[in-house]
Amino acid sequence: MKHEYQAAMERVKMPPECEARILAALEHDPVKHKKTHIRTVIAIAAAVFLLVSSTVAVSYQTGVLNTFFKGNSSVLEPYIQYPDSVSNGDYRLSINGALYDGNNFYAVLIVEGLNEQAIDDLKSNKVIAESHLDFWGQDMVDRLLASGGSGPDTFHLLNASGISTRELSPPDEASRAWRISGNFMEAPEKTESIGLWLGFIGRDYIVNIPIDNIITPITLYPEQSDCIEVTIYATSVKAVFLASGMDSEMLQAFSVVLEDGSILTQDDLGLRMNDGTYDPLTMRYECNYLFDVPIDPARITTVSINGIEVAVS
């Protein structure tokens, strides 16, 4: 929350008319207009407070937890990363919270135009569209100008097996914001970092998010089941099935029992399929499922997978 507040304060800009009123008030006789000055300063202070409060509220609403998850997500708060922003002189890329659970990555990013031309090109989508010209051609540029959306070379998450993005409400008149998530079927080492960069800003301006601070997952090996391995992370499940092509029953039923005896079903967790890969040589299908409601794997005592219960030792 402290980082979100600081990031929001950096984006607060006093309107010119507000600054002019302050300067004009200071030029008047301080004795003759003492009461008027007090009322003016109070009014200006209130206006600035509302401006700051509004900006901070937007920042909170577009934080990584509120954007991606439902319910109580406090278990994730200690693991949110706030890496330093980067700038190419025209645009500043900031991360308004990033989270990696050992399998999936989530972040909210903000791009701010740093001059009038950059702001116009960002808002009109010109800078995003024209960054696709060399490789994708004029047709792609025209389509992105018409749609106002992002293209195949806008967002880059290094070594991710797949990414998903969605634009969010802009924090202010000079910025745009997106949520981005990615899956790592081959998990990077904890000593590494996840690199995120935007095509229209340039690969030289990459944000490196540390991944050495995650909630420890648990891995189970069910018996008498097509599911031969399941790893439960704070926000997702990775399950490995023995399957002949697409014939596996996959994860049809899933629930967990917590240390206090409460049971969370797949509906409670908001379990949903994200992606998967099939290896015809080993006849194994590796599936990635996401939670809407995060969970602390350390609190799990029993897992039920397609009717097979497995105790957590």
Side-chain angles (χ1 to χ4, degrees), residues 88 91 121-122 125-138 140-142 144-145 149-156 176 178 197-203:
N88 68 354
Y91 298 99
D121 291 346
L122 179 65
N125 215 46
K126 180 181 178 181
V127 66
I128 292 178
E130 292 186 347
S131 68
H132 288 75
L133 178 61
D134 290 344
F135 187 83
W136 296 94
Q138 188 61 44
M140 176 65 74
V141 174
D142 294 340
L144 293 177
L145 285 171
S150 56
D153 282 341
T154 303
F155 303 99
H156 299 268
R176 292 174 69 177
W178 291 266
W197 60 284
L198 304 187
F200 65 93
I201 295 180
R203 183 164 182 166

Side-chain angles (χ1 to χ4, degrees), residues 93-142:
L93 169 61
S94 303
I95 306 298
N96 199 33
L99 177 74
Y100 177 64
D101 75 346
N103 185 38
N104 290 276
F105 173 82
Y106 313 87
V108 170
L109 58 90
I110 297 172
V111 176
E112 177 187 6
L114 301 179
N115 55 66
E116 185 174 346
Q117 185 62 58
I119 294 172
D120 289 344
D121 291 346
L122 179 65
K123 291 296 185 176
S124 67
N125 215 46
K126 180 181 178 181
V127 66
I128 292 178
E130 292 186 347
S131 68
H132 288 75
L133 178 61
D134 290 344
F135 187 83
W136 296 94
Q138 188 61 44
D139 287 345
M140 176 65 74
V141 174
D142 294 340

